[in-house]
Amino acid sequence: MTEQAPGPRQPGTVYGRGGVDVGKSAPDRLPRAMTVGVGVGVIAVLGLGYAAWSSTGGGEEKPAAAATTTAPAATAPATPESTATVKPQLATGSWLLSPLGDEDTYLTVNSDYAKMSPADPATLTVSAGLADDTCFSFQLEDGRYLRHFDYRLRFDASDDSDLFRADATFCQEAGTDVGTVRLRSKNYPEYVVHRRDDESLYIDKDSGTSFMVQVPS
């Protein structure tokens, strides 16, 4: 029997295995699948290796985080006011007495009487009170004491009587401003030293005059 060459394929006719196009063979597709699988595997291996390398402290070592706790700032010690602004407090010693807000006016002597004046300030020696050592007595350089007589303040020599000692004793209390004082009569406790309009000084039933003390120049 003579072998015949196959004729041309007819349209619509299927040749091969079960209708599968055999124009591209299976071996042509296998390398692509293997390539993709190998690529994915390599990426996975690299990822696992980097994770293991990082967990063991690999790479550039980062500096330890700085401590966030801040030491408390040192508190500066309180600075005392300068001696130029601190008001002296009445105490035993030598002082000038001025009314509050009028430091150029002073307690002075006019004959036997006490008065306020911008001239000839009287330097007063302040000591424990003659009738009460928790209070004060005020004495001139000539030895006379400040005392009240008929409610008016004057300077007299001591006669060493109880009445004189009480008249010459004044108890301090807070004035109307910090560092100032008012002077209350020891034997007339409802009366305080008061500066009147004519600059004379009396003990009156009044709010009294607030005095500030100054150091003699």
Side-chain angles (χ1 to χ4, degrees), residues 75-96:
T75 303
T79 303
E81 295 182 273
S82 67
T83 55
T85 59
V86 173
K87 293 179 180 177
Q89 303 295 304
L90 182 62
T92 57
S94 295
W95 301 102
L96 304 178

Side-chain angles (χ1 to χ4, degrees), residues 47 80 93 194:
H194 178 229

Side-chain angles (χ1 to χ4, degrees), residues 6-79:
R9 295 181 180 179
Q10 299 296 320
T13 304
V14 178
Y15 295 88
R17 300 190 300 260
V20 178
D21 186 3
V22 294
K24 294 181 180 181
S25 63
D28 291 335
R29 297 192 301 273
L30 183 59
R32 291 194 200 97
M34 290 180 64
T35 300
V36 172
V38 169
V40 172
V42 169
I43 292 172
V45 169
L46 289 175
L48 291 173
Y50 178 78
W53 175 70
S54 298
S55 66
T56 58
E60 184 180 354
E61 184 177 354
K62 297 181 179 180
T68 57
T69 303
T70 303
T75 303
T79 303

Side-chain angles (χ1 to χ4, degrees), residues 2 7 9 17 22 55 65 70 86 88 110 133 142 154 159 200 216:
T2 304
R9 295 181 180 179
R17 300 190 300 260
V22 294
S55 66
T70 303
V86 173
N110 181 19
D133 60 9
D142 62 12
R154 52 181 290 142
D159 61 10
S200 60

Side-chain angles (χ1 to χ4, degrees), residues 14 45 59 76 94 106 111 147 157 191 194 196:
V14 178
V45 169
S94 295
Y106 310 93
S111 185
R147 54 90 59 95
Y191 290 76
H194 178 229
R196 291 190 176 179

